[in-house]
Amino acid sequence: MPDRRIRLEAARLNLARIGMATPEDLRRALEQAAQVSAKTLGVSHVGVWLLSGETLCTCTVLYDTLQEGFRESEPLELSEYPAYFEALRTSRAIAADDAWKDPRTREMRASYLELAGVRAMLDVPILVAGQLVGVVCHEQVGQARAWTTEDIDFATSVADMLAVLIGQAARLRAEHALDVQEEILAEMRRMEALGRLAAGVAHDFSNVLLAISLLSQRLKLRLSEDPEGAKMAANIGSETDRGTRLVRQLLAFARQEKTTPVFVDLSEVVAGLMPLLETIVTSRHALALDTPEGPVTLRADRTQLEQIVMNLVTNARDALPDGGTIRVSVTETDENEAQLVVSDDGVGMDEETQSRVFEPFFTTKGGRGTGLGMSTVYGIVKQSNGHLELTSAPGEGTTVSIHFPRNADN
Ligand code: ADP
Ligand code: MG
């Protein structure tokens, strides 16, 4: 039958042309393949099932020729069909001319085949790198069908094509993850460069400020006869102190020196900080601390942990200008992770702010802010091999949760 052979070749070519630009295209690609295969083999349904565990097979695509469309189907638990499962693992194709009688498929007769009216099946395992990842099922409703060698060869090339598509989607996903990784790396390099710059400038700057501060004190003494002049000198002094504090924060941000991680109890660190935190917030603010019964030990630099809590609580306070509750909690998510959460139900952040919050010097607080709080937090968390999640919405408050690895080797 040369005609049929030409048709099959054309269909193979169509299959080979199915392409994907992003991993999200996989479903569409599988749908296209199922449709081509259904038309070419003239079967009632073509399903693509993917393993989503040891034995659970999920129907990803099911094309129905009669309805000329796609529909859904329940997942298939392969452990309920041991002969079929075994055949999938060991054969190139399961061509069951009469699926009700075939020893590999008859175990499905009562629970599935009769209900769906399926009488013949041509199923081919999908293998990626030698691993069974799924199966493509061609089903014939109504009567038995003698599958030809050509049918079987074609169905096998469909399965091979599907394997290529599935492998390609996995590669695209991995590449995408790498791109994201690259972006994070670039961001970290940028921060590092800024940190070095800040460290260099900050040292010179604190010397300049120290000189100004000393001079202003002497000037103030000299101006004891001139109250207005003395007040100006005092102002110079307090402005200089503000500058010094800012520089100190810059230095903290830029801190390149080795940290000293020791075993600390995160709950204890946070609890010990409470008196200091009370001085940061106003009388209109309440601090709620929630820690578990036992200690939450992790290896970390105590000062850095304190810095994180201080910065986050300061931001929460600023987000609650009319007062409110700031929650600080410590939890053991599992034996490998400790979690610190600081949340407020304050002003929150819009998306633009959220996308820039970790940027050094980014602030929405005008002259009152340094824009170094969150970038410092970010830097420390990265250094500790931890990760950070930020949830915020305008008017709904902000939650920052930090996950620390508990036995980090840093
Ligand atoms: P600063 O507090 O000096 O402005 P940060 O780096 O600590 O600098 O924070 C940067 C910006 O992120 C803040 O100016 C603010 O807009 C936003 N932000 C940080 N934390 C919160 C919060 N809890 N609620 C609302 N906005 C916040
Ligand atoms: Mg801040």
Side-chain angles (χ1 to χ4, degrees), residues 10 15 27 31 46 56 60 66 96 111 118 141 156 174 183 188 219 272 274 276 355 373 384 391 399:
L15 285 174
R27 165 176 285 275
E31 283 178 358
V46 174
L56 191 71
T60 314
L66 257 185
S111 61
V118 172
V141 168
T156 308
E183 273 169 38
M188 282 170 74
L219 191 61
M274 288 310 271
L276 189 61
S355 70
S384 333
T391 352
T399 299

Side-chain angles (χ1 to χ4, degrees), residues 80-217:
E80 286 168 22
Y81 307 110
Y84 177 74
F85 192 19
E86 180 58 21
L88 270 187
R89 274 184 304 197
T90 52
S91 38
R92 180 171 153 259
I94 304 172
D97 295 355
D98 184 347
W100 292 11
K101 300 211 175 94
D102 192 291
R104 296 165 297 183
T105 53
R106 64 183 171 213
E107 58 197 5
M108 298 178 182
R109 179 169 174 173
S111 61
Y112 173 66
L113 298 175
E114 281 188 19
L115 294 173
V118 172
R119 195 63 197 257
M121 284 169 86
L122 173 52
D123 290 8
V124 186
I126 304 171
L127 305 174
V128 174
Q131 288 289 317
L132 180 69
V133 300
V135 54
V136 53
C137 307
H138 299 86
E139 297 177 335
Q140 190 67 54
V141 168
Q143 65 227 21
R145 169 169 171 174
W147 301 105
T148 65
T149 318
E150 276 168 347
D151 292 337
I152 297 169
D153 281 348
F154 182 77
T156 308
S157 49
V158 171
D160 289 345
M161 193 56 218
L162 294 173
V164 169
L165 290 169
I166 292 164
Q168 197 183 345
R171 176 176 59 76
L172 288 170
R173 267 193 295 272
E175 279 174 4
H176 176 72
L178 272 181
D179 282 350
V180 171
Q181 217 37 49
E182 269 300 311
E183 273 169 38
I184 293 174
L185 266 179
E187 173 72 10
M188 282 170 74
R189 274 189 217 111
R190 223 163 58 84
M191 293 245 200
E192 233 181 79
L194 262 164
R196 265 198 298 274
L197 186 74
V201 177
H203 278 296
D204 289 342
F205 225 78
S206 47
N207 288 337
V208 173
L209 290 170
L210 186 64
I212 297 176
S213 173
L214 291 174
L215 282 170
S216 75
Q217 281 169 30

Side-chain angles (χ1 to χ4, degrees), residues 249 310-312 314-315 318 363 365 369-374:
Q249 249 189 305
M310 293 269 289
N311 286 336
L312 295 180
T314 308
N315 283 344
D318 294 344
T363 179
K365 298 171 191 168
T370 61
L372 288 172
M374 292 301 273

Side-chain angles (χ1 to χ4, degrees), residues 352-372:
E352 153 80 9
T353 303
Q354 283 182 53
S355 70
R356 300 191 58 192
V357 52
F358 299 114
E359 223 172 84
F361 309 112
F362 171 77
T363 179
T364 57
K365 298 171 191 168
R368 286 192 309 114
T370 61
L372 288 172

Side-chain angles (χ1 to χ4, degrees), residues 252-253 255-261 266 269 273 299-311 340 376-377 379-384 402 404 410:
F253 166 70
R255 224 154 56 144
Q256 299 287 317
E257 74 243 44
K258 267 243 159 272
T259 53
T260 44
L266 184 58
V269 172
L273 205 58
R299 255 168 74 80
D301 182 293
R302 190 186 186 98
T303 317
Q304 287 195 331
L305 291 179
E306 290 175 346
Q307 223 177 333
I308 290 178
V309 181
M310 293 269 289
N311 286 336
L340 170 74
T376 303
V377 170
I380 296 173
V381 172
K382 284 285 140 186
Q383 201 181 357
S384 333
I402 299 174
F404 294 102
N410 49 18

